[in-house]
Amino acid sequence: MKVLVIGSGGREHAICWRLARSPSVKQLYCAPGNPGTAALATNVPIGVDNQQELVAFARKETIDLTVVGPEAPLCTGIQRRFAEAGLLLFGPSLEAARLEGSKVFSKQFMREHDIPTAAFDVFDDAAAALAYIADHDRARVVKADGLAAGKGVFVASSEDEAREAVRALLTERTMGDAGRRILVEERLQGEEVSVIAIADGERVLTLASSQDHKPVFDGDKGPNTGGMGAYSPAPVLDDALQARVKQEVLLPTVAGMAAAGHPFRGVLYAGLMIVDGDPYVLEYNCRFGDPEAQPLMARFDDDLVPYLVGAAQGRLPQRAPKWDLRAALCVVMTAGGYPGGYARGEPIDGIDKAQAFDDVLLFQAGTATRDDGQLVTSGGRVLGVTALGTDLQQAQRRAYQAVDCISWKGVHFRRDIGHRGLGPA
Ligand code: AMP
Ligand code: GLY
């Protein structure tokens, strides 16, 4: 079959890598892709926001399955456009994607369906939000309703900081319309973990556990990023807890969306805080996490196509996929300055040496090829190095061995990916 992957990050490179190993995939395309995906797929120069051209391309090439990486096209209705053209697409409808696209919708949905989450209220008026913060000692997290590229959440450590976030969003409108409505919620203390599943509108297949590292510096210091590294499995999520998350979170979510007339078909990602052993949902995402997808695709040891096609058609295969029992750990290498401003166009050295190690996979993200063929940086998160190992420690050692071969001017990465599973490297 012919498969099109939409996106250009490490997640999409990892998905392409896994799909390229599927016996049923005869031709693989990636739009727009990156220099890494170009080695596995035909890159198609159409941006993720250009839905009209993406549909036209898929029609012309008679694409059998389209897999959407990032949330933005899903939250603006790409699923329906493809469906209307008679094309199969893996990813939820716009209505179902509101679980990610609107934080207010998702919190109200959780409340309605008794899905455990932090106490909250919704505001569009600054004075009312400030009064709520004054009345509730633990109401310290302020979130913009709409998509804000990971920058719309303020986890305040004091009442003053929380008040400042309210003013920024509602009075100064720093996030524009995304922050026209806000949530103020209780700050939870615990350990964060991601549970990523594939849903077919009714049933749910939970994937292997994984854990992301959001802050930019070692020791979880500094501002949050899209993710500086991830590993799988995550020891904090044992079988018992995983079963509870399925019963208490994933199945009620899918049942609730189906009852509302918007069956959720695609990746259902629950960002959780484990508080005294109990799971609470911080947020939903409607697509694979990035970087979590990198160790997950490295460990998914089966044909991915039947799962994606099955979910999109409302009939997930009954059997569970095979997983590589080894651990996988991904270190994201970024441009210096990220998540703030950073330089582009820095030549990248050492890729070939890093790739030569056994059980090391390199997934590119913000890279570009210069006219003279030199690979250069072109984004904040430049690439991810994923290694497999018999245990997390070995995976970590192998990943950093490869990371240490790669360099460019200003390169930054965390030295402690995996620390919550093991302690510092
Ligand atoms: P979100 O995009 O809603 O997952 O929020 C981004 C990050 O903010 C999460 O990954 C957490 O680290 C943190 N966060 C969000 N909500 C809470 C909360 N209620 N309590 C503590 N931390 C939170
Ligand atoms: N790594 C977190 C996310 O993809 O949302």
Side-chain angles (χ1 to χ4, degrees):
M1 67 195 302
K2 291 182 169 181
V3 180
L4 167 66
V5 175
I6 295 177
S8 63
R11 164 181 51 210
E12 289 76 23
H13 188 176
I15 293 170
C16 281
W17 177 81
R18 177 46 62 201
L19 286 172
R21 274 148 191 77
S22 166
S24 49
V25 175
K26 294 289 174 265
Q27 261 173 298
L28 188 59
Y29 300 88
C30 191
N34 64 42
T37 64
L40 302 162
T42 305
N43 281 352
V44 184
I46 307 175
V48 301
D49 297 327
N50 196 342
Q51 296 185 7
Q52 210 171 338
E53 271 196 48
L54 289 168
V55 170
F57 173 81
R59 273 185 114 139
K60 181 164 78 55
E61 294 296 332
T62 58
I63 299 291
D64 300 293
L65 170 69
T66 297
V67 182
V68 182
E71 63 277 16
L74 296 166
C75 293
T76 49
I78 195 169
Q79 190 276 338
R80 179 180 298 176
R81 275 183 183 254
F82 271 66
E84 282 170 357
L87 295 161
L88 187 68
L89 179 137
F90 174 77
S93 66
L94 181 151
E95 293 78 12
R98 284 172 72 205
L99 283 180
E100 173 163 5
S102 166
K103 287 192 185 287
V104 169
F105 171 84
S106 81
K107 289 290 281 191
Q108 286 170 339
F109 174 89
M110 288 185 252
R111 180 180 275 166
E112 191 181 329
H113 295 277
D114 283 328
I115 294 164
T117 190
F120 72 100
D121 219 327
V122 180
F123 301 93
D124 56 13
D125 172 66
L130 295 176
Y132 182 83
I133 289 169
D135 282 352
H136 295 81
D137 285 351
R138 289 201 289 229
R140 295 291 176 266
V141 180
V142 177
K143 299 182 177 180
D145 176 34
L147 289 180
K151 300 200 173 81
V153 174
F154 301 84
V155 181
S157 38
S158 66
E159 185 176 332
D160 269 357
E161 264 181 55
R163 295 168 67 87
E164 196 42 52
V166 168
R167 273 192 286 268
L169 288 173
L170 287 181
T171 312
E172 290 155 32
R173 287 293 178 86
T174 50
M175 300 281 158
D177 270 358
R180 207 168 44 81
R181 279 196 306 174
I182 64 165
L183 288 167
V184 179
E185 61 180 62
E186 170 196 7
R187 180 171 177 180
L188 299 175
Q189 308 277 0
E191 187 157 10
E192 264 190 87
V193 64
S194 315
V195 175
I196 302 179
I198 295 179
D200 69 0
E202 189 187 333
R203 283 171 310 152
V204 165
L205 170 75
T206 309
L207 304 183
S209 61
S210 60
Q211 204 164 22
D212 183 16
H213 298 58
K214 288 192 171 123
V216 69
F217 299 127
D218 286 9
D220 291 326
K221 302 268 187 333
N224 268 352
T225 67
M228 296 297 294
Y231 62 94
S232 169
V236 58
L237 209 83
D238 59 24
D239 290 348
L241 191 53
Q242 199 145 337
R244 277 188 65 193
V245 170
K246 186 165 181 177
Q247 285 307 320
E248 295 170 25
V249 175
L250 300 174
L251 288 171
T253 302
V254 170
M257 292 308 287
H262 304 301
F264 192 100
R265 300 198 174 112
V267 174
L268 181 61
Y269 167 140
L272 305 170
M273 187 78 89
I274 308 300
V275 184
D276 298 329
D278 296 321
Y280 289 80
V281 179
L282 295 178
E283 63 162 349
Y284 293 107
N285 293 316
C286 63
R287 33 82 193 169
F288 287 111
D290 194 3
E292 295 94 315
Q294 300 180 47
L296 285 182
M297 289 298 114
R299 290 190 62 217
F300 189 93
D301 195 14
D302 213 322
D303 186 351
L304 187 56
V305 167
Y307 294 93
L308 303 186
V309 168
Q313 292 179 331
R315 27 170 206 269
L316 262 177
Q318 296 285 354
R319 65 183 186 87
K322 251 178 63 199
W323 290 91
D324 190 322
L325 294 177
R326 292 176 297 169
L329 183 140
C330 164
V331 179
V332 173
M333 303 180 75
T334 75
Y338 170 83
Y342 50 81
R344 291 166 203 258
E346 300 296 350
I348 301 172
D349 288 325
I351 295 268
D352 291 342
K353 203 167 159 199
Q355 260 168 336
F357 288 106
D358 286 340
D359 295 317
V360 167
L361 296 163
L362 217 137
F363 296 125
Q364 298 187 28
T367 57
T369 312
R370 225 166 45 187
D371 287 346
D372 63 1
Q374 169 69 47
L375 192 70
V376 297
T377 67
S378 75
R381 292 195 290 177
V382 174
L383 55 84
V385 175
T386 299
L388 286 153
T390 48
D391 55 19
L392 204 52
Q393 202 156 13
Q394 192 187 47
Q396 189 190 52
R397 198 159 32 76
R398 285 182 171 166
Y400 279 108
Q401 210 172 25
V403 163
D404 285 332
C405 298
I406 301 173
S407 63
W408 61 82
K409 193 170 156 216
V411 61
H412 169 71
F413 56 88
R414 281 180 60 161
R415 268 280 163 207
D416 65 347
I417 300 303
H419 72 97
R420 275 172 292 174
L422 308 159

